[in-house]
Amino acid sequence: MSWKTVYEKWQADEGLDQDLKKQLDAIAGDPAKLEDCFYKNLEFGTGGMRGEIGPGTNRLNIYTVRKASEGLARYILSSGEEAVKRGVVIAHDPRHFSAEFTLEAAKTLGAHGIKTFIFDSLRPTPVLSFAVRYLHTFSGIVITASHNPPQYNGYKVYDEFGGQLPPAEADEVIKFVGSVEDELTVKVGDEQALKAEGLLQIIGKDVDDAYQENLKKLSLNPDIIKKVGSNLKIVFTPLHGSSYHPIVNGLKNWGFTNVTVVKEQAEPDPEFSTVKSPNPEEHTAFKIAIDYGKKLDADILLGTDPDSDRLGVAVKDEQGEYTVLTGNQTGAVLLDYLLTQRKEKGTLPENGIVVKTIVTSEIGRTIAAAFGIPTVDTLTGFKFIGEKIHEYELTGAHTFLFGYEESYGCLIGSFVRDKDAVQAAVFAAEVAAYYKSKGKSIYDALQDIYEKYGYFEEGLESLTLKGIQGKEEIDSILNDFRDHPPVQVSGVAVDVIEDYEKSVTTNVKSGSKTAITLPVSNVLKYKLDDGSWFCLRPSGTEPKIKFYFGVQGKDAADRDTKFAALKTEVMDRVHGLVSK
């Protein structure tokens, strides 16, 4: 069916939502915009779906949300009566139409007799993950586009263990979503009738309180917080997102009383009007928080993205200026503190394990190894870390200690199965309090880690390539590196090539090959003789291809030189391919 035929079907639908009808009328004379709205169905992938809000099958709107929910409903129905009774819990962030999409999802599920729990207001993604486990539901949904620009929204699906759907289950749901032929005819229940039947239930405080009780148990040094908790100056910004109450309450419950919230960014705002991007990975997002920090002489600045699964941390450097730590640096400091304290207290399990992604710094593996703790790698995406936690629970092979990824996400307590900025924020505050009691800062601790374990540095470059042509260019870049792999980069020989699409690791010198046991993914990673590495990975949620880099130097100058040379040579080749 051509995009014009689908567009005409929408235009002819007498029951079409009036706001969407007006938006279609407004672009009626622009075939290019209409084609972009209708040339394909918004893809429901392994992480759910994410896209621009607007009319059409390639946009997020009440009809594409209903289609996704109809597919999920069919999957739940196929899973048996118990799955239907256990139902689904849904949370949402402050984005445009998040509350409306939440209700549409609930009404679609309710039309099939599937019980749904929705929160009384916005909640972070990690609280949704916790709620799935706490309420013993069969599934969960978060309406969020994470850190994307304001015109985006999304739909993420969780399994009964509180993690994002692993590949096998995701494939099943994708198949059911694909079986929904017409998004405009999906049936929905009546909100009030569903409430009266007990199929739609509003939740809130009970879940919040239970989450906070579990959060308290993560504290390793409450006595130190009692001593310095009132003196530790914390500045916190939710960046207009969903983390205000959970983090403020969490800090208070742990004993931190000197907390200043960035007033200009405290209230939910779907436009995220004070920042260019509501992403703590972007250092500019900390601009106002840094102004607060300077006025207050704050010890630590904390910032979260809209759905509060990513945490950014800023601390003073040796010049007294605030520097925003990378996700790898924050992870290294938290991990080193956790392992050190648990070893001192005799609570470090013999079968402990650290889990990270293939594009996360090797410093974590080095730190863990010093404590006799192994590290396992997963594909990019925290759902794979959550899947590992569940596996270890079932087998008893390991006790999960810490999981993290370079993109500012980590997990300490396994009562949540997705990255959790609430956990990370309060734990980072405790780490800051610990080092303050020793006359040090988190920045000082990071320098000590480098001195002890090696001078690591990592970075990320992204190319945004939109539309059909962009997808072809992304494929072309990957194919070029796959078919013509570099022999050396910046004068250093390539030692190992990991091709996650072909599931093969190749030793370049010997030519020997070993199987990769992780799920298939269109990712390439190259490891060099000196411990440096780089990785190519197309984004699963945005029209981007990402390039990750990592090096280890004998000192800071050596590290920086290696990193600049590696990144420059790889990106020069990439830009040459795109400009052809």
Side-chain angles (χ1 to χ4, degrees):
M1 190 182 297
S2 72
W3 72 262
K4 288 183 179 179
T5 303
V6 181
Y7 161 61
E8 289 166 358
K9 183 184 74 172
W10 276 55
Q11 275 285 38
D13 192 303
E14 294 181 358
L16 192 72
D17 176 83
Q18 288 302 299
D19 287 338
L20 294 176
K21 180 73 164 62
K22 289 176 184 176
Q23 291 174 52
L24 283 179
D25 291 343
I27 60 172
D30 192 332
K33 285 186 178 178
L34 286 173
E35 181 180 12
D36 194 48
C37 288
F38 288 97
Y39 84 93
K40 67 174 183 177
N41 291 323
L42 188 63
E43 184 179 350
F44 192 99
T46 56
M49 62 183 184
R50 188 181 299 181
E52 292 185 47
I53 301 165
T57 56
N58 190 33
R59 294 289 186 268
L60 209 72
N61 51 62
I62 62 171
Y63 301 109
T64 52
V65 166
R66 287 175 182 176
K67 178 178 179 177
S69 303
E70 174 69 19
L72 178 60
R74 293 179 185 183
Y75 169 72
I76 293 170
L77 289 168
S78 75
S79 300
E81 187 177 342
E82 185 195 358
V84 173
K85 288 180 179 178
R86 288 169 62 185
V88 180
V89 56
I90 311 176
H92 68 82
D93 72 5
R95 288 179 176 273
H96 291 295
F97 298 102
S98 282
E100 291 87 341
F101 293 160
T102 293
L103 189 57
E104 291 299 328
K107 291 194 298 183
T108 304
L109 294 164
H112 291 277
I114 298 169
K115 186 172 184 177
T116 309
F117 303 87
I118 62 175
F119 283 94
D120 51 14
S121 61
L122 72 170
R123 289 298 191 284
T125 287
V127 173
L128 179 280
S129 174
F130 172 77
V132 170
R133 300 173 60 78
Y134 179 71
L135 298 170
H136 195 53
T137 61
F138 183 75
S139 184
I141 301 169
V142 181
I143 305 296
T144 179
S146 188
H147 56 283
N148 280 56
Q151 66 268 30
Y152 283 79
N153 212 328
Y155 185 111
K156 292 195 295 188
V157 181
Y158 287 72
D159 66 14
E160 61 183 314
F161 308 110
Q164 289 187 51
L165 288 179
E169 288 84 345
D171 287 346
E172 283 292 303
V173 175
I174 290 167
K175 188 166 62 177
F176 279 109
V177 173
S179 73
V180 182
E181 295 182 357
D182 188 350
E183 63 281 339
L184 297 177
T185 60
V186 173
K187 292 182 180 180
V188 296
D190 175 76
E191 179 183 356
Q192 297 307 319
L194 292 173
K195 286 180 177 178
E197 294 173 46
L199 290 175
L200 179 55
Q201 185 175 330
I202 308 300
I203 57 173
K205 187 176 183 301
D206 286 352
V207 177
D208 296 337
D209 290 347
Y211 175 90
Q212 290 290 340
E213 283 301 312
N214 278 273
L215 188 64
K216 283 185 200 175
K217 298 173 185 176
L218 299 182
S219 177
L220 296 177
N221 277 306
D223 290 341
I224 286 176
I225 297 175
K226 285 179 183 177
K227 291 177 183 177
V228 302
S230 59
N231 296 324
L232 187 79
K233 297 176 183 176
I234 301 169
V235 170
F236 163 55
T237 173
L239 294 179
H240 304 293
S242 59
S243 66
Y244 179 94
H245 293 292
I247 288 182
V248 168
N249 291 338
L251 290 169
K252 180 182 176 181
N253 291 339
W254 279 41
F256 296 105
T257 56
N258 198 340
V259 180
T260 301
V261 179
V262 175
K263 184 178 179 182
E264 297 89 335
Q265 298 171 332
E267 292 300 316
D269 174 9
E271 286 296 316
F272 311 110
S273 52
T274 66
V275 290
K276 183 179 179 181
S277 170
N279 184 359
E281 289 184 81
E282 303 289 342
H283 293 192
T284 55
F286 270 91
K287 183 180 183 303
I288 300 177
I290 288 173
D291 291 340
Y292 270 66
K294 289 177 178 177
K295 289 176 185 176
L296 299 169
D297 189 29
D299 295 290
I300 186 170
L301 317 180
L302 305 169
T304 57
D305 65 342
D307 69 322
S308 192
D309 58 0
R310 299 179 185 216
L311 174 76
V313 174
V315 292
K316 286 184 182 178
D317 61 17
E318 57 265 280
Q319 280 81 41
E321 296 296 323
Y322 287 100
T323 181
V324 181
L325 303 183
T326 68
N328 285 312
Q329 290 172 330
T330 299
V333 172
L334 299 188
L335 175 60
D336 183 65
Y337 172 79
L338 183 146
L339 296 179
T340 300
Q341 295 306 305
R342 292 198 62 171
K343 184 177 181 180
E344 284 185 7
K345 298 176 190 307
T347 61
L348 196 60
E350 289 184 5
N351 67 343
I353 198 153
V354 171
V355 189
K356 72 175 190 67
T357 70
I358 59 173
V359 296
T360 301
S361 174
E362 289 299 301
I363 196 170
R365 191 188 315 278
T366 307
I367 293 169
F371 291 85
I373 301 295
T375 299
V376 297
D377 287 347
T378 71
L379 290 179
T380 306
F382 219 89
K383 64 184 174 187
F384 296 112
I385 295 177
E387 194 176 21
K388 278 292 179 186
I389 297 171
H390 181 59
E391 174 191 323
Y392 298 143
E393 273 191 344
L394 291 178
T395 64
H398 293 288
T399 298
F400 171 77
L401 290 171
F402 189 77
Y404 78 120
E405 59 185 9
E406 53 76 36
S407 56
Y408 288 61
C410 70
L411 187 64
I412 303 144
S414 62
F415 56 90
V416 169
R417 295 298 164 86
D418 205 345
K419 51 185 178 282
D420 187 345
V422 182
Q423 286 190 27
V426 294
F427 200 73
E430 176 171 300
V431 176
Y434 173 82
Y435 284 111
K436 188 177 180 72
S437 74
K438 306 291 184 185
K440 291 185 173 184
S441 69
I442 280 183
Y443 186 84
D444 296 329
L446 180 61
Q447 304 317 305
D448 291 344
I449 288 170
Y450 287 147
E451 183 70 27
K452 184 175 182 180
Y453 297 109
Y455 287 81
F456 289 79
E457 183 174 355
E458 299 77 30
L460 168 67
E461 292 286 325
S462 296
L463 276 183
T464 298
L465 299 165
K466 294 184 177 181
I468 299 171
Q469 182 181 343
K471 185 181 185 306
E472 291 174 351
E473 288 178 316
I474 290 171
D475 290 341
S476 176
I477 292 168
L478 286 159
N479 290 338
D480 187 82
F481 272 84
R482 180 173 279 119
D483 296 338
H484 309 285
V487 177
Q488 64 175 27
V489 183
S490 60
V492 182
V494 175
D495 183 35
V496 172
I497 301 172
E498 296 174 348
D499 189 330
Y500 290 86
E501 185 172 70
K502 295 181 178 179
S503 299
V504 171
T505 295
T506 303
N507 184 295
V508 176
K509 291 185 179 68
S510 68
S512 63
K513 298 180 184 294
T514 55
I516 294 174
T517 57
L518 298 178
V520 173
S521 184
N522 191 13
V523 177
L524 293 167
K525 187 172 182 180
Y526 301 84
K527 296 179 177 179
L528 280 58
D529 273 349
D530 66 350
S532 303
W533 59 271
F534 69 96
C535 182
L536 289 72
R537 184 183 77 87
S539 171
T541 56
E542 301 170 87
K544 287 182 178 181
I545 179 169
K546 298 183 177 183
F547 307 90
Y548 302 83
F549 307 92
V551 300
Q552 180 182 358
K554 61 179 182 287
D555 54 35
D558 181 50
R559 171 194 64 191
D560 295 345
T561 299
K562 282 183 175 179
F563 184 81
L566 175 67
K567 187 169 78 167
T568 298
E569 187 162 328
V570 172
M571 293 311 297
D572 281 351
R573 175 171 171 174
V574 171
H575 290 304
L577 292 169
V578 174
S579 63
K580 283 182 179 179

